Amino acid sequence: MPHYSDTGGSVESNGQRLARLRARRRWTQQRLATEAGYSLAAIKAYEQGRRSLDRSQIVLAFAKVLDCHPTEITGAPFVPVSSDTEGQAAVASVAAVRRVLLRHGRPARPAEHEVAAVDLAELGRRVAAANGYRQAASLARSGAVLPALLRDLQVACEVSQGDERRQVFALLTSGYECAMQYLYMLGHTSDATLATERVMWSARETGDRLRVLAAQWYDAGEFLAIGEHDEAGDIIDDALTGLGSGQETRPEAVSLRGAFHLKAALNSARAADAQTAEQHWVKAKEAAEQLGEDRNDFQLQFGPTNVAIWGVSLPVELGNGRVAVDRAEQVHLPQHFSPERHSHHYIDVGRAYFYSGQKDKALGAFLKAERAAPQVTRMHAGVRETVGTMIRTQKRGDLLELGIRLGVV
């Protein structure tokens, strides 16, 4: 269906928000350039919207010197345009999800009918369905089911004992992970951080060592997202130590080890350490080869296909479009692979083409990402900034229509 912009005028770019933050500190462009380690010409290009300020590494560098949260530069969370009914439905449940997250650890005070309705098998089916929506990037359905599901899981945890209680906490951990991903994809980063804390707390109650380590994968991501690379690295290193250097051969442990190497690679890439990023990616590739198949342990979708996807993501993080494009040509996604992973891959491919100066191919990749997961693509800060930059220099046809759906024109 057609979409129409709600703005009635120009939409702020990341560069314009950067200029406002700089002015708030009463800094000149030269001062910002000096503090952040970029040229004056680059600062001017970012602030004037002639250069896309979409790479996390650069956004984090500016956020650090300006002492602000990265979302103050990216503008998240974003509001879907009014004609995007699915997007509107997706954001409608944010407050309800936040409320149930806040109740974690508080007395549930369940009604008698809630206690009588506790059914471990049924809760397991509902959590599996929520994870299905998560992998399908169906944000509206996720938001619709999460508040009641998390409430029922909290009640079940309170009234269960022994092994059953540990099983329910495993389900609650997974439910909180669904909430975390839902909020993160919608750009509600503070609420997603709250969900991550709940993931950590509930994972400890399971008594499952691997489940606790899996929760640390998300904990590391919280520090990575705000540019605290040393803290993220410490969490990752502790987890890899806990998993051993290869002694633990259970598939679940191999998957986790590979996933942590991917997280370490991303942390290094955002810290501008390309060599270490590549080393960790190679180790993740070795773990995937050891598995010999795509798995979904702890909903991390680790295996050869996801390692190949990250092989494109990492040079994109480093701004190396040529390497990313070359690697993307070798990636063949299975049809059954999740829409969420399809969308993120094509988002990275689009940005890689943009960095390589191939704007038409970039647009084509972004449109593929949107077809796979409309709301995730439209809420992606990098897509919004890159498409906005493209429109400012090439306003026409399909590009303009995509910009309207994103709400950046």
Side-chain angles (χ1 to χ4, degrees), residues 310-328:
W310 281 66
V312 178
S313 300
L314 294 169
V316 166
E317 290 286 342
L318 290 160
N320 194 334
R322 181 173 296 179
V323 170
V325 167
D326 288 345
R327 286 183 176 176

Side-chain angles (χ1 to χ4, degrees), residues 250-265:
R250 283 183 295 165
E252 298 88 344
V254 176
S255 288
L256 266 184
R257 188 168 67 248
F260 271 107
H261 277 301
L262 289 180
K263 186 74 82 176

Side-chain angles (χ1 to χ4, degrees), residues 68-92:
C68 68
H69 194 279
T71 56
E72 294 185 69
I73 296 175
T74 63
F78 310 111
V79 179
V81 296
S82 59
S83 53
D84 182 359
T85 54
E86 277 290 301
Q88 293 286 329
V91 301

Side-chain angles (χ1 to χ4, degrees), residues 96-141:
V97 173
R98 182 190 301 121
R99 282 194 296 271
V100 75
L101 289 172
L102 284 169
R103 289 201 58 83
H104 176 86
R106 300 289 303 161
R109 300 185 183 91
E112 289 184 10
H113 74 272
E114 288 182 300
V115 176
V118 171
D119 181 331
L120 192 59
E122 177 60 19
L123 286 171
R125 285 190 286 271
R126 290 169 65 190
V127 170
N131 275 306
Y133 298 145
R134 169 186 173 184
Q135 305 291 0
S138 181
L139 300 182
R141 289 184 176 181

Side-chain angles (χ1 to χ4, degrees), residues 33-202:
T34 301
E35 295 286 344
Y38 292 93
S39 68
L40 177 60
I43 299 300
K44 289 180 177 180
Y46 286 133
E47 291 192 355
Q48 294 169 9
R50 293 183 287 107
R51 181 179 295 185
S52 179
L53 180 51
D54 65 299
R55 283 174 54 203
S56 295
Q57 176 196 131
I58 301 173
V59 170
L60 290 169
F62 286 134
K64 187 172 184 178
V65 298
L66 291 168
D67 195 22
C68 68
H69 194 279
T71 56
E72 294 185 69
I73 296 175
T74 63
F78 310 111
V79 179
V81 296
S82 59
S83 53
D84 182 359
T85 54
E86 277 290 301
Q88 293 286 329
V91 301
S93 300
V94 168
V97 173
R98 182 190 301 121
R99 282 194 296 271
V100 75
L101 289 172
L102 284 169
R103 289 201 58 83
H104 176 86
R106 300 289 303 161
R109 300 185 183 91
E112 289 184 10
H113 74 272
E114 288 182 300
V115 176
V118 171
D119 181 331
L120 192 59
E122 177 60 19
L123 286 171
R125 285 190 286 271
R126 290 169 65 190
V127 170
N131 275 306
Y133 298 145
R134 169 186 173 184
Q135 305 291 0
S138 181
L139 300 182
R141 289 184 176 181
S142 291
V145 304
L146 282 171
L149 172 60
L150 295 178
R151 163 67 183 178
D152 290 345
L153 287 166
Q154 289 170 346
V155 168
C157 287
E158 186 167 298
V159 302
S160 300
Q161 295 180 347
D163 287 342
E164 185 174 280
R165 183 175 183 273
R166 286 187 284 273
Q167 292 176 51
V168 176
F169 264 108
L171 293 174
L172 181 60
T173 302
S174 191
Y176 283 151
E177 288 171 353
C178 291
M180 174 198 61
Q181 290 289 81
Y182 160 78
L183 293 163
Y184 176 77
M185 289 177 183
L186 289 174
H188 289 265
T189 55
S190 295
D191 295 321
T193 297
L194 179 64
T196 301
E197 291 176 349
R198 275 48 179 161
V199 169
M200 296 290 295
W201 291 348
S202 55

Side-chain angles (χ1 to χ4, degrees), residues 261-278:
H261 277 301
L262 289 180
K263 186 74 82 176
L266 179 60
N267 193 42
S268 298
R270 289 191 179 172
D273 185 348
Q275 182 177 1
T276 303
E278 184 72 10

